[in-house]
């Protein structure tokens, strides 16, 4: 199964967040989407998952066009995701956070029980998943009571528990410290499978470089370059996008100096106009 | 036909202005606290009672022209009801801020019972006469008949609304209120004393409600302890119609609801060949509300929850 | 150790026995007290039903009493001289529940995409529309006069006429409703509802159709409301629109909040308190409502999470009893 973006654009009002983007993701690999802040990385994830509508173009999973489908249908077709800022069900236990994923997906299954997992089967799968993610010891702890790092891992587990073929990870390392990030990278690398595509949006370059099979670099909503980590690392345009040209660096320095001269930002400037 | 229409229009504007003033209180409180203040209708009811009490007291003292007595009583009722609002927020709502949204709402319901029964116990449950502030004389305008009271209500309400708009948009305190409505956390980080903004809202909202109550009572010439319940509910509907949290929305919603009600009542029996009578007036108002929300889920001038803005995680 | 286990088991038995004896003694009290008990039980059923929507799914429904009215009028129309239709009580009970559920779905379908307060006001409007419609549809409902002289109910040949009869019926129904809701709470459906309350966007992202989920909560709670209405009609043998005002809807919401949202034990406690309080306050004559309001605000300010802690729920009690009975050493 493959996920493909065909000439996808996304406008927010007059702002063009994504312009004519075409990408394709096959199962069996880990992909990373990187780019400077505001490049449109998260927008891509949100469009695939159906949180954002697509202004033009098509997103296909296999032969099915995903855009225009409601969000829950997209998830049912096999796209699961994590969120940039943690969104667990804080008031429910770790185990329950996974169990919810197995709610019967249609009225028919719900009423007839056909294709529906029994409670024992459901629990078996969830417990196996918890063991895989080293969360078995906290199965009955409320998700909101876990330390941050383990909440991140729980969200990862929730994205993988249903064996979705397409998994979108929105900044899995955000807020983690150095060791935790390394563990997270190892964990994601270990989740690579023949029948699964993992698509990663991430800022941590070490992580991206170490686990990705292909990296897509976005800048201002357009594909700057795409290829193996080595290829991307040496690409001049990527360096430019990230670090800026020498003239731009000078400009930035000047601007910073003039700001400092003004005595910092005015505190009330931002809130007044609407 | 035209004079009938004009007469109905003035009536609609007057009643709509009253709804709008009450709706402002709902919407401002909702804006800063995300609270449906179910006690708000009672401030509306308290207005005319406090006014009458003060007015007759001042009149009894003598020494001033009745017009002056009346003016002092009006201003004083605004202040007293406003301070009552501040006190209620302080003691019945503020301790509950950390406990989600249902607890403060329940507290508001309780306060509504307290205020209404307090008035009932003090002055009795029966409707009483409200002393006229302006003598009601009919005026012939463009062939239709309007009364001075109607015009007075309209003028006063518009004056209050303009005043509020100027205050909220042009003064430092007003900007505090808007900032607090926009984001509680950010505002407090920026050094805005959010609690003061809240107190201010709980002063202005109930005060405006009291003014609306005085207008309503002078329109019908009577007042009673339960008068806040139904009107409060309708004004809340108006606030939602306009888009709750939006100040212009509350005004628009008020006038719109007034128009819907008045013209609905006037023309519904004609349109439905007498099958649906005027008794369905309230149904009509609510049905319009449901229809509006189906097509504009955030109300007419409400902040549209677009896909770009992060949506609130929890409803209740 | 053996001794303390025996003591604790005896203690447990004593508490259970006390509950049973108290419940069994109610019918021997004077009629007034039995009526109060009936009223408490009806409100428990209603509040447990509404709790599905408010407490579990996190949707504020302020028009719940409309479903109660639908049930009550179902009995009034189908078991009275109004149209000379005299269906048996049990049949109307099911019709009332079904009518409630249908009304719930009809209301829910268009409005459930609304969020929070908008949903609250639309349900509120719906409740008012139903009441006003009943008030004015004279040919059908006799308008404000209401319908009197409803059939005396009977169930499987047993008469349901006195408050004591209804006490037993309501007690059985309360147990059934509570058990059913408890079962649902623990099923995957209950978990999905709780997840919905926490973050509906994520729930959609898990492949769950949230509209269906909300609709289900709405329909089930409306069905319970409808069934409650049928019993109310059979009990009063008179229905009129003034029993179904907005204030009644609020009372049911109050019961839930004051007891502890989403907790059956809390709902029971809330119903007991809020039904008994006004009865106790009868002595205060015209000050009754004032005191009632003051008590209400005081309770909520002092215990904002509800009277009953969320941890003290039906599951907790059942676990406690079970461990004490089966493996007492663990406690």
């Amino acid at each position: 199964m493959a996920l493909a973006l065909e000439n996808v654009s996304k406008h927010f009002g007059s702002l063009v967040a994504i312009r004519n983007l075409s990408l394709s993701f096959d199962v069996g690999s880990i992909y990373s989407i990187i780019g400077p802040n505001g490049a449109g990385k998260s927008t891509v994830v949100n469009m695939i998952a159906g949180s954002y509508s697509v202004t033009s173009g098509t997103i296909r999973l296999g032969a099915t066009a995903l855009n225009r489908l409601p969000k829950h249908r997209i998830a049912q077709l096999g796209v699961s995701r994590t969120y940039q800022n943690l969104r667990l069900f804080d008031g429910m236990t770790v185990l329950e956070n996974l169990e919810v994923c197995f709610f019967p997906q249609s009225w028919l299954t719900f009423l007839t029980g056909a294709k529906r997992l029994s409670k024992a089967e459901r629990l078996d799968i969830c417990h196996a998943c918890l063991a895989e993610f080293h969360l078995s010891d906290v199965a009955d702890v409320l998700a909101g009571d876990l330390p941050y790092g383990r909440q991140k891992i729980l969200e990862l587990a929730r994205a993988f528990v249903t064996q979705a073929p397409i998994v979108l990870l929105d900044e899995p390392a955000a807020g983690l410290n150095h060791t935790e990030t390394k563990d997270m990278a190892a964990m994601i690398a270990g989740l690579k499978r023949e029948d699964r595509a993992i698509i990663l949006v991430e800022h941590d370059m070490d992580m991206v470089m170490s686990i990705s099979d292909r990296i897509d670099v976005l800048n201002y909503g357009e594909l700057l370059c795409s290829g193996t980590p080595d290829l991307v690392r040496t690409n001049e345009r990527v360096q430019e996008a990230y670090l800026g040209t020498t003239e731009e660096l000078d400009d930035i320095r000047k601007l910073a100096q003039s700001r400092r001269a003004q005595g910092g930002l005015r505190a009330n400037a931002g809130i007044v106009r609407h | 036909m035209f004079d009938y229409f004009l007469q109905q229009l003035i009536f609609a504007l007057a009643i709509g202005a009253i709804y709008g003033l009450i709706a402002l209180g709902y919407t401002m409180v909702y804006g800063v606290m995300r609270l449906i203040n179910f006690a708000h209708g009672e401030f509306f009811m308290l207005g005319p009672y406090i006014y009458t009490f003060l007015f007759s007291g001042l009149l009894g003292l003598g020494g001033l022209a009745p017009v002056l007595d009346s003016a002092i009583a009006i201003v004083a009722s605004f202040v007293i009801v406003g301070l009552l609002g501040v006190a209620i927020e302080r003691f019945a709502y503020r301790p509950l801020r950390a406990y989600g949204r249902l607890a403060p709402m329940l507290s508001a319901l309780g306060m509504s019972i307290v205020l209404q029964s307090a008035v009932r116990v003090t002055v009795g449950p029966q409707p009483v006469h409200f002393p006229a502030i302006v003598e009601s004389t009919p005026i012939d305008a463009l062939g239709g008949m309007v009364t001075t009271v109607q015009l007075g209500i309209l003028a006063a309400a518009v004056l209050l609304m303009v005043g509020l708009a100027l205050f909220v948009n042009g003064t430092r305190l007003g900007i505090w209120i808007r900032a607090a409505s926009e984001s509680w956390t950010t505002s407090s980080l920026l050094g805005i004393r959010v609690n003061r903004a809240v107190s201010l809202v709980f002063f202005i909202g109930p005060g405006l409600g009291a003014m609306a109550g005085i207008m309503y009572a002078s329109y019908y010439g009577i007042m009673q302890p339960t008068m806040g319940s139904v009107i409060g509910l309708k004004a809340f509907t108006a606030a939602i119609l306009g888009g709750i949290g939006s100040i212009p929305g509350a005004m628009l919603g008020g006038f719109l609801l007034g128009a819907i009600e008045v013209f609905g009542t006037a023309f519904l029996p004609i349109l439905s060949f007498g099958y649906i009578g005027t008794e369905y007036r309230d149904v009509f108002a609510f049905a319009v509300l449901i229809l509006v929300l189906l097509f504009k889920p955030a109300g007419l001038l409400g902040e549209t929850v677009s896909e770009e803005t992060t949506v609130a995680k929890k409803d209740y | 150790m053996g001794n303390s286990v025996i003591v604790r088991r005896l203690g447990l038995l004593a508490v259970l026995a006390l509950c049973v004896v108290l419940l069994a003694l109610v019918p021997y009290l004077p009629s007034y007290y039995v009526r109060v008990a009936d009223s408490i039980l009806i409100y428990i059923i209603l509040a447990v039903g509404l709790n599905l929507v408010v407490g579990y799914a996190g949707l504020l429904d302020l028009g719940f009493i409309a479903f109660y009215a639908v049930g009550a009028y179902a009995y009034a129309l189908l078991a009275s001289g109004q149209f000379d239709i005299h269906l048996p009580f049990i049949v109307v009970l099911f019709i009332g529940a079904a009518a409630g559920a249908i009304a719930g779905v009809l209301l829910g379908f268009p409005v459930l995409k609304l969020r929070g307060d908008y949903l609250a006001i639309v349900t509120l409007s719906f409740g008012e529309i139903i009441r006003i419609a009943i008030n004015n549809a004279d040919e059908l409902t006799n308008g404000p006069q209401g319908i009197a002289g409803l059939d005396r109910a009977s169930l499987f040949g047993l008469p349901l006429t006195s408050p004591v009869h209804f006490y037993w019926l309501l007690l059985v129904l309360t147990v059934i409703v509570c058990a059913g809701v408890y079962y649902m709470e623990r099923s995957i459906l209950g978990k999905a509802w709780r997840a919905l309350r926490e973050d509906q966007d994520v729930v959609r992202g898990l492949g769950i159709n949230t509209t269906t989920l909300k609709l289900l909560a709405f329909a089930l709670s409306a069905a319970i409301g409808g069934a409650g209405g049928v019993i109310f009609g059979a009990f009063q043998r008179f229905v009129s629109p003034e029993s179904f005002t907005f204030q009644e809807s609020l009372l049911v919401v109050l019961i839930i909040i004051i007891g502890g949202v989403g907790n059956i034990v809390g709902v029971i406690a809330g119903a007991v308190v809020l039904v008994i309080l006004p009865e106790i306050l009868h002595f205060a004559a015209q000050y009754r409502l004032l005191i009632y309001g003051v008590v209400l605000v005081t309770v909520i300010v002092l215990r904002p999470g509800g009277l009953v802690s969320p941890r003290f729920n039906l599951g907790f009690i059942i676990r406690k009893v079970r461990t004490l009975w089966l493996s007492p050493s663990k406690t």
Side-chain angles (χ1 to χ4, degrees), chain C residues 145-267:
Chain C
Q145 284 91 42
I147 302 173
L150 310 189
D151 292 354
R152 285 174 196 283
S154 67
L155 193 60
F156 308 126
L158 301 168
L160 282 172
T161 42
S162 74
V164 174
H165 296 151
F166 276 96
Y167 175 75
W168 290 116
L169 173 72
L170 285 166
L171 196 61
V172 171
L173 277 179
T174 306
V175 171
I176 292 175
V177 168
C178 287
V181 168
Y182 175 68
Y183 172 76
M184 244 183 281
E185 178 188 321
R186 291 171 43 97
S187 72
I188 186 125
L189 179 62
K191 283 167 191 162
W193 276 334
R194 275 163 60 209
L196 185 73
R197 185 175 64 182
E198 297 228 356
D199 194 332
Q200 46 177 322
D201 261 11
V202 175
V203 171
R204 268 161 52 98
L206 296 179
I208 300 172
N209 185 344
T210 47
T211 312
T212 314
L213 208 54
K214 291 178 185 178
L215 215 50
L216 204 56
F218 239 66
L220 280 172
S221 108
I224 294 175
V230 173
I231 298 172
F232 175 77
F235 179 51
Q236 298 279 326
R237 301 187 53 217
F238 167 71
V239 291
S240 78
E242 67 188 67
S243 307
F244 309 107
T245 57
F246 173 51
Q247 275 69 24
E248 285 293 310
S249 284
L250 286 183
L251 177 61
V252 185
V253 176
L254 278 182
I255 288 175
I256 294 174
I257 308 175
I258 213 154
V261 175
N263 180 351
I264 294 174
V265 181
V267 166

Side-chain angles (χ1 to χ4, degrees), chain A residues 62-81:
Chain A
T64 327
L66 292 188
N67 44 322
R68 306 280 165 229
L69 285 184
K71 204 170 159 184
H72 64 270
R73 282 291 302 148
I74 295 175
Q76 286 171 11
L77 288 171
V79 178
S80 73
R81 70 169 295 186

Side-chain angles (χ1 to χ4, degrees), chain B residues 30 101 106 121 279 311 316, chain C residues 117 121 136 201 254 287 300:
Chain B
Y30 184 89
R101 297 175 53 197
L106 168 76
V121 166
E279 66 273 11
V311 279
Y316 278 93
Chain C
D117 305 298
I121 190 71
N136 292 301
D201 261 11
L254 278 182
Y287 293 99
I300 201 68

